[in-house]
């Protein structure tokens, strides 16, 4: 069955993989009867989608075999239909392939953890170091970064630029080429930190000297975890890479970068099977905030169009803006300013792009055209810039706007007067909507204090 699809073009993005799997499951939902022929067609479609996403052929055959056997031979549990059972089998087998259960890194304040990042040059390791530092920082842990990359020119400068944005301390020594000495001094300086991320030199499986250095570094600093950073765009080369690194230094976990919908992520995800190490984090974009703990069941849910409400709620919490009850009451009574509106735009921006948010909502990920999402994204960004171009008086009292003020804001924000009018119109509509909520005596979505009980 696999022979006919092995030679298909292997350049499928994760978005394409997800939509292909989603369509395969829709066929099952639409089928008048779920019989052996329906299951075999589903298995064929799943095989085709995975192979196009660059998943290792042997792994694809193993997954499809298990899906077919379970779907046809397992007794359907009471309370669900055969159709639902088949969908459940696909979901469970894909989740099992990616690691089944999440394996979070155990962190606790006051007990320092050292994470040593390894990987080839260009995998996104340096950026990943800053992302992880930010990830733990947002969870109340004191994080720090050590630049042990004494091989690549500019590594320290790149890290310094990244950590300065998030106010995380960095240690490095441009005068020495000895990474073991650099790490020892850095760990001594960061003795009071909760988590220390060590960024090492980029290595290739053929660079024996660098591999030797990595072994010595691991034995010297005895990290709590060695994390392999893999570029999600390299396809099946990830298998070879993961094996080479694991033979040199046992890999505790994997972070896959560039899984933002444009990567051939199947091959990189296959690295898990090669090392037995779980994926603990995935990079979902270029910003320092764009990293998330990898939970296989959530990831598969998103791929299959089932959404991921837990991650959505996590993003809402991370982007929270505390609105005191007194201010919430003022907003509901009509004292809603453009400054308040701007704060909500900033909160939404912190949660990620519209497309990412839609992927987290069940049934929405493959239903809204990209063009529509991009248009909405662009409009919100323009509105943010317009509000930034206004005076404090205009933000607090939009009623004072006249033709000359609109013209000035349009010129200052690089937009048109028509677009400024549209923003003000949306503001008026939003203020009216909030006033109508006064009767409900609750403010449904304004950050931490929500819902705010106004009784």
């Amino acid at each position: 069955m696999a022979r006919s699809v092995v030679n298909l073009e292997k350049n499928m993005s994760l978005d394409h993989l997800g939509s292909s799997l989603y369509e395969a499951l829709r066929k099952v939902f639409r089928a008048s009867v779920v019989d052996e022929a329906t299951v075999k067609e589903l298995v064929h479609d799943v095989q085709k989608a995975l192979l196009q996403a660059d998943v290792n052929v042997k792994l694809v055959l193993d997954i499809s075999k298990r899906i077919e056997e379970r779907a046809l031979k397992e007794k359907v549990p009471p309370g669900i239909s055969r159709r639902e059972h088949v969908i459940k089998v696909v979901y469970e087998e894909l989740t099992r392939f990616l690691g089944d259960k999440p394996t979070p890194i155990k962190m606790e304040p006051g007990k320092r953890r050292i994470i040593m990042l390894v990987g080839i040059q260009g995998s996104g390791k340096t950026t990943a170091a800053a992302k992880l530092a930010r990830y733990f920082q947002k969870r109340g842990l004191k994080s720090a970064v050590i630049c042990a990359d004494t091989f690549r020119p500019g590594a320290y400068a790149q890290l310094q630029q990244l950590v300065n944005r998030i106010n995380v301390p960095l240690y490095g020594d441009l005068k020495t080429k000895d990474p073991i000495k650099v790490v020892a001094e850095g760990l001594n300086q960061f003795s009071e930190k909760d988590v220390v991320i060590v960024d090492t030199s980029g290595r290739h499986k053929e660079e024996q000297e660098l591999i030797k250095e990595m072994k010595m570094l691991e034995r010297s600093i005895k990290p709590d975890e060695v994390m392999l950073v893999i570029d999600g765009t390299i396809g099946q080369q990830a298998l070879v890479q993961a094996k080479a690194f694991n033979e040199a230094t046992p890999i505790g976990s994997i972070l896959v970068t560039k899984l933002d919908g444009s990567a051939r992520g199947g091959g990189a995800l296959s690295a898990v099977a090669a090392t037995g190490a779980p994926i603990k984090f995935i990079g979902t974009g270029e910003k320092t905030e764009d990293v998330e703990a990898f939970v296989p069941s959530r990831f598969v849910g998103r791929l299959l169009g089932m959404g991921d409400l837990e991650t959505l709620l996590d993003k809402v919490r991370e982007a929270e803006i505390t609105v005191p009850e007194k201010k919430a009451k003022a907003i509901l009574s009509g004292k809603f300013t453009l400054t308040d509106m701007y704060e909500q735009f900033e909160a939404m921006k912190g949660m990620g792009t519209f497309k990412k948010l839609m992927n987290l909502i069940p049934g929405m990920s493959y239903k809204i055209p990209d063009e529509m999402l991009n248009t909405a994204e662009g409009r919100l960004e323009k509105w943010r810039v317009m509000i930034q171009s206004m005076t404090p008086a205009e933000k607090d009292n939009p009623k004072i706007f006249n033709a000359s003020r609109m013209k000035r804001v349009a010129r200052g924000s690089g937009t048109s007067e028509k677009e400024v009018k549209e923003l003000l119109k949306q503001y008026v509509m939003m203020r009216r909507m909030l006033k109508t909520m006064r009767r409900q005596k609750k403010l449904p979505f304004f950050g931490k204090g929500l819902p705010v009980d106004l009784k």
Side-chain angles (χ1 to χ4, degrees):
M1 186 184 298
R3 188 173 299 169
S4 62
V5 294
V6 169
N7 294 320
L8 288 172
E9 180 187 354
K10 294 178 178 179
N11 192 27
M12 182 185 276
S13 70
L14 284 178
D15 280 349
H16 194 174
L17 169 62
S19 60
S20 296
L21 292 172
Y22 177 71
E23 288 303 319
L25 294 181
R26 283 191 67 193
K27 286 184 183 179
V28 176
F29 276 115
R30 290 197 300 257
S32 56
V33 61
V34 179
D35 54 13
E36 183 174 348
T38 307
V39 170
K40 287 186 178 295
E41 184 179 4
L42 169 66
V43 170
H44 179 272
D45 289 340
V46 170
Q47 275 189 345
K48 181 178 176 180
L50 293 175
L51 287 166
Q52 285 183 312
D54 227 13
V55 178
N56 179 270
V57 175
K58 184 180 181 299
L59 291 173
V60 173
L61 292 175
D62 289 344
I63 294 168
S64 54
K65 183 180 179 182
R66 285 186 57 85
I67 290 174
E68 186 170 339
E69 285 183 353
R70 288 189 59 194
L72 292 175
K73 296 179 182 179
E74 271 189 7
K75 185 178 179 181
V76 179
I80 66 172
S81 66
R82 175 165 294 279
R83 195 184 314 274
E84 292 166 333
H85 176 61
V86 170
I87 305 300
K88 178 171 174 285
V89 165
V90 173
Y91 173 76
E92 288 176 349
E93 287 304 317
L94 288 174
T95 300
R96 178 175 166 273
F97 159 62
L98 292 176
D100 202 12
K101 294 181 180 179
T103 50
I105 296 177
K106 293 182 179 179
M107 296 285 179
E108 51 186 283
K111 189 172 183 179
R112 188 176 69 177
R113 290 284 188 274
I114 303 169
I115 301 174
M116 174 175 154
L117 302 184
V118 299
I120 69 169
Q121 193 169 330
S123 61
K125 184 162 44 60
T126 298
T127 305
K131 286 182 175 182
L132 287 175
R134 175 61 175 151
Y135 176 87
F136 292 117
Q137 181 192 55
K138 288 195 295 186
R139 282 150 183 81
L141 298 168
K142 293 180 289 184
S143 56
V145 179
I146 297 175
C147 180
D149 187 348
T150 58
F151 181 76
R152 180 171 68 90
Y156 179 83
Q158 182 188 356
L159 255 180
Q160 189 174 45
Q161 187 178 28
L162 290 168
V163 299
N164 281 349
R165 296 174 189 166
I166 56 176
N167 198 29
V168 166
L170 168 69
Y171 181 82
D173 188 347
L174 298 176
K175 297 177 182 178
T176 181
K177 290 292 182 183
D178 183 359
I180 294 176
K181 180 183 177 184
V182 172
V183 175
E185 292 174 351
L187 290 176
N188 185 55
Q189 182 169 317
F190 296 141
S191 59
E192 301 298 316
K193 299 299 180 182
D194 299 316
V195 54
V196 179
I197 315 294
V198 180
D199 179 29
T200 64
S201 299
R203 292 160 174 80
H204 189 275
K205 60 184 176 60
E206 302 299 333
E207 295 171 343
Q208 293 305 317
E209 283 302 310
L210 286 172
I211 291 289
K212 182 180 177 182
E213 179 189 295
M214 183 179 72
K215 290 180 180 179
M216 292 173 61
L217 193 58
E218 191 271 335
R219 285 197 292 265
S220 172
I221 68 176
K222 295 181 175 58
D224 296 284
E225 185 140 357
V226 177
M227 187 176 293
L228 174 61
V229 179
I230 288 182
D231 182 339
T233 67
I234 66 173
Q236 292 192 32
Q237 293 176 7
L239 276 167
V240 180
Q241 192 183 116
K243 285 179 179 178
F245 275 89
N246 199 43
E247 287 168 5
T249 303
I251 301 300
S253 60
I254 292 175
L255 187 157
V256 183
T257 64
K258 306 173 189 176
L259 285 182
D260 54 357
S262 59
R264 295 190 323 180
L269 297 176
S270 301
V272 179
T275 62
I279 297 176
K280 288 195 177 175
F281 292 94
I282 54 175
T284 58
E286 297 178 0
K287 297 179 183 177
T288 313
E289 312 285 336
D290 293 337
V291 67
E292 62 183 62
F294 181 72
V295 181
S297 58
R298 295 187 188 183
F299 186 80
V300 171
R302 274 184 265 174
L303 275 183
L304 300 180
M306 297 175 181
D308 178 2
L309 293 177
E310 287 184 62
T311 297
L312 180 61
L313 289 173
D314 288 343
K315 286 185 177 292
V316 169
R317 293 184 192 107
E318 286 178 12
E320 281 172 346
I321 294 177
T322 304
V323 179
E325 187 168 330
K326 185 177 180 181
K327 184 175 181 180
K329 288 181 178 180
I331 289 173
L332 285 184
S333 65
K335 296 175 183 177
F336 175 67
T337 68
L338 281 165
T339 300
D340 299 322
M341 192 174 182
Y342 179 80
E343 287 177 353
Q344 297 313 304
F345 290 163
E346 284 293 289
M348 290 179 68
K349 186 182 178 185
M351 291 169 64
T353 65
F354 266 2
K355 187 170 184 179
K356 286 181 183 177
L357 295 178
M358 289 302 103
N359 283 340
L360 303 178
I361 302 173
M364 297 295 288
S365 49
Y366 304 115
K367 289 184 178 179
I368 302 178
D370 287 349
E371 292 177 9
M372 189 179 294
L373 291 174
N374 292 336
T375 300
E377 195 85 40
R379 186 176 296 173
L380 269 184
E381 184 58 31
K382 280 187 178 181
W383 288 353
R384 287 180 62 255
V385 177
M386 287 179 207
I387 297 175
Q388 286 174 332
S389 302
M390 296 175 185
T391 66
E394 289 166 348
K395 292 176 188 176
D396 289 340
N397 184 19
K399 291 181 180 179
I400 67 175
F401 264 99
N402 54 27
S404 63
R405 288 179 184 272
M406 288 185 194
K407 188 174 183 179
R408 193 200 75 251
V409 170
R411 188 169 60 247
S413 59
T415 58
S416 67
E417 292 174 58
K418 181 180 178 182
E419 288 172 316
V420 176
K421 286 181 181 178
E422 183 187 358
L423 166 62
L424 294 173
K425 182 180 178 182
Q426 290 296 323
Y427 158 75
V428 171
M429 289 173 62
M430 195 168 179
R431 189 182 65 178
R432 284 175 182 167
M433 179 187 72
L434 289 168
K435 287 181 76 173
T436 61
M437 291 179 182
R438 189 180 183 183
R439 282 169 292 184
Q440 300 174 4
K441 299 186 178 180
K442 283 190 178 181
L443 188 58
F445 183 71
F446 259 90
K448 250 182 196 175
L450 311 177
V452 177
D453 196 338
L454 301 180
K455 292 179 181 178

